[in-house]
Amino acid sequence: MTTSAKPDSPTPAAPTVPPALRIAGLSHTHQANAGPLEALSNIHLDVAPGEFVVIVGPSGCGKSTLLSLVAGLETPTSGTLEAAGKPITGPGRDRILMFQEGALFPWLSAQANVEFGLKGTGLSRRKRRERAKGYLNLVQLEEFAQAHAHELSGGMKQRVALARALALQPELLLMDEPFAALDAQTRDAMLALVQKLWAQQRHTTLFVTHNVREAACLGDRVIVLSHRPGTIKASFRITAPRPRNIEDPLVIEAARLIKNALVEELDWLRLPR
Amino acid sequence: MTLSRWARVRPPLIVLAVLVLAWEAAHRLHLYPDFLFPGPLDAARSLVALARSGQLLPSLTATLTRLGISFLLSLVLGAILAALLVLIPWLRRGVQPLLLGLQSLPGIAWVPVALLWFGFSENALYFVTVIGSVFAITMGFVDAFSLVPPLYAKAGRNMGVSGVRLLVRVTIPAATPHLVSSAKVGWSFAWRSLIGAEIVFASVGLGFLLNQGREFLNVAQVFGTMVAVLVLGSAFERLLFARLERFVRRRWGLTKA
């Protein structure tokens, strides 16, 4: 019997092309009020250019911290991080993080939000406007270009946030549970949209979620992190044909395998299997 | 559901009418001698008399000019102080308790110092008004910045914006609703300090008219001027600050449009 999800064996990338992202021996400890808190421990991960990698893990396993570190918003305690062969030393427009809450600026219109990051990239005002319009079209929100964040639904806000991230044409798109706060129908539509855009543009993506179905639906590879401190516990390669739907049998089957790996991490909760 | 304009102004108008009638009734009962407790009509007449004698307009312009200039000065000084406190955490920790104390010190408490330093001058009035409001504005501005959700700065840095650009493009806009509210509070501190100081030592101004009424045993003028102060204060509050606040809150999505 073949399954859509196979335990992943590391395939060394061709030596000429550096991976889009290389994480080696990464550990990170937060200096929390209650004392040091070890969030991540000895993470090794290579992401190939154009690959869609999903990270799943129990809450508090440091998934979001991992994205924050890759985005350069935090500095790791130890280990190395490289984007396209260059060490990551701080935030950069080549790595754009899309937040769970969207983080749209409420004082700006949807259009101005998408244009925000383009200022200072050397594009003329007109070019910036055109680019923003183009990406709003891509997420089917051209009619709402002048709307402010509070006039948009949760799903629309996340589409603007996606357009804002993609408009910068980052080498690496980082998505931190972007659909966790959406209702099921809206989320399914977003999963289709993300797959469509990725098929068109092939931006390397690192996507964090706690939802195994979402992970199986989106990922080329799914990495399972352990409970705190987060370490890589398992890795699956998902071979089901795209575009995938969250209810495809192959997706469901892959999700079950991922869940088995994940549930072991939840043993401390004594969850019924 | 939104109330019509008339429905919104009706309750305060009714209350106002009842109060004025009660005032007139109390006056007509002659519980106090008439010259000590004039009625609303007497107060209105004395305002008209002040206008006719050419005293009212100069007083109004003097008070409003002092208020406008002092308030702007307070905003600028408050912004500078707040910026320093936000940028230098140890300074903030050291100065904050003192600021809280200074903020609650009534503006009028600065009058003796003002008189000793500046004499009976315009500068003394400006000094009292500015110092009576600047600490409240500083504290409000500092709070406004510390209430900005860190997520916005994160999103800005994430898109390659940092330093002064981050401040101008993200932090200040994000803090704007609270900045506007702080300015409003600061304005009312300035207003109170100025009227208080004018009562003590101005030679023109609404506060001066109040004190002049006392000196000439003209209680109608005192009441009339108090009504003028009250009307002016609430006009600024409602027509300027409330509108500005409402606009900002709507734009920022803090209240339903």
Side-chain angles (χ1 to χ4, degrees), chain A residues 68 71-73 91-93 95-99 101 103-107 113 115-117 119 148 150 164 168, chain B residues 151-161 166 169-171 173-175 249-257:
Chain A
S68 234
L73 293 171
R93 290 196 178 98
R95 288 159 279 124
I96 293 301
L97 175 56
M98 187 182 154
F99 299 89
E101 310 87 340
L104 294 183
F105 299 130
W107 58 91
N113 262 292
E115 275 178 46
F116 181 91
K119 204 171 172 182
H148 281 246
H150 64 96
R164 179 169 79 170
L168 284 161
Chain B
L151 183 64
Y152 292 141
K154 243 185 180 178
R157 284 168 59 215
N158 182 230
M159 287 184 279
V161 180
L166 188 71
R169 296 186 64 199
V170 177
T171 317
R249 292 186 68 81
R250 254 183 220 172
R251 196 82 205 263
W252 266 242
L254 298 171
T255 42
K256 283 271 166 250

Side-chain angles (χ1 to χ4, degrees), chain A residues 14-241:
Chain A
T16 47
V17 185
L21 174 67
R22 164 158 286 171
I23 301 174
L26 180 77
S27 297
H28 190 65
T29 302
H30 289 294
Q31 291 308 324
N33 286 335
L37 190 71
E38 199 181 3
L40 292 165
S41 171
N42 197 26
I43 303 277
H44 291 267
L45 178 68
D46 276 10
V47 180
E51 196 179 13
F52 201 122
V53 172
V54 181
I55 294 169
V56 292
S59 56
C61 74
K63 331 187 265 294
S64 295
T65 305
L66 185 61
L67 287 194
S68 234
L69 292 167
V70 174
L73 293 171
E74 289 177 73
T75 310
T77 314
S78 64
T80 57
L81 282 164
E82 283 176 8
K86 276 174 256 136
I88 294 172
T89 53
R93 290 196 178 98
D94 57 327
R95 288 159 279 124
I96 293 301
L97 175 56
M98 187 182 154
F99 299 89
Q100 180 179 347
E101 310 87 340
L104 294 183
F105 299 130
W107 58 91
L108 297 176
S109 66
Q111 166 96 21
N113 262 292
V114 179
E115 275 178 46
F116 181 91
L118 297 173
K119 204 171 172 182
T121 52
L123 289 174
S124 72
R125 206 187 153 83
R126 228 189 72 220
K127 283 265 160 60
R128 294 201 297 265
R129 196 171 306 154
E130 276 168 17
R131 169 98 69 99
K133 280 223 167 76
Y135 278 90
L136 279 174
N137 274 338
L138 216 52
V139 297
Q140 292 143 27
L141 278 178
E142 59 275 19
E143 293 159 55
F144 292 89
Q146 295 315 315
H148 281 246
H150 64 96
E151 297 165 314
L152 301 172
S153 69
M156 287 156 100
K157 276 184 216 167
Q158 289 308 68
R159 270 145 72 194
V160 176
L162 185 60
R164 179 169 79 170
L166 290 177
L168 284 161
Q169 300 177 345
E171 307 286 324
L172 197 54
L173 178 63
L174 310 166
M175 302 176 85
D176 189 4
E177 304 204 35
F179 311 140
L182 302 181
D183 63 80
Q185 286 78 16
T186 310
R187 190 211 41 205
D188 291 354
M190 291 299 287
L191 292 178
L193 179 66
V194 164
Q195 289 187 82
K196 191 179 118 193
L197 295 178
W198 179 75
Q200 283 169 11
Q201 318 209 340
R202 284 289 172 155
H203 38 268
T204 312
T205 305
L206 198 57
F207 187 107
V208 156
T209 180
H210 58 257
N211 184 315
V212 289
R213 287 248 192 124
E214 209 172 279
C217 181
L218 289 176
D220 289 327
R221 254 194 309 158
V222 176
I223 311 286
V224 178
L225 287 191
S226 67
H227 187 65
R228 195 166 45 225
T231 54
I232 293 186
K233 182 172 190 307
S235 172
F236 299 91
R237 198 169 280 281
I238 315 287
T239 54

